[in-house]
Amino acid sequence: MGKTLNEQELVDYISGKTQAAPQNIRLVLKHEQAYIDNAHKGAKGDIDIDSDDLVDYVMSRKDVKLDELTVENILDAEMDYLIKQGLAGYMD
């Protein structure tokens, strides 16, 4: 993968799509990364993430004061951005 992730561009994109505050976006993304770091990698190094489990994990963090819909929207907008940048995709 030749492309790299520009975090500020990602946060700006998500903020534009969700109207969420940048600090809330960064908080959700931080917890998402912790979840991914602990996820089981498949044989090809792919990570299969259940979006409901991810949202539940983020919502269970004590410092997250957002409603579930906002967390879902942030994560959906992030995935949309990553797919557009060629950095992620959905598994069949």
Side-chain angles (χ1 to χ4, degrees), residues 34-91:
Y35 181 87
I36 290 170
D37 289 345
N38 292 318
H40 176 71
K41 287 184 171 55
K44 295 180 183 174
D46 294 335
I47 301 171
D48 185 16
I49 296 174
D50 181 281
S51 59
D52 292 333
D53 290 345
L54 176 56
V55 170
D56 290 345
Y57 175 84
V58 172
M59 293 296 298
S60 73
R61 304 297 93 188
K62 291 183 184 343
D63 56 347
V64 175
K65 308 292 187 224
L66 302 169
D67 61 88
E68 188 171 340
L69 184 59
T70 300
V71 171
E72 286 177 5
N73 288 340
I74 289 170
L75 295 171
D76 287 347
E78 178 201 23
M79 190 63 176
D80 185 48
Y81 174 86
L82 293 175
I83 289 171
K84 284 182 178 181
Q85 296 298 314
L87 297 170
Y90 289 106
M91 296 175 72

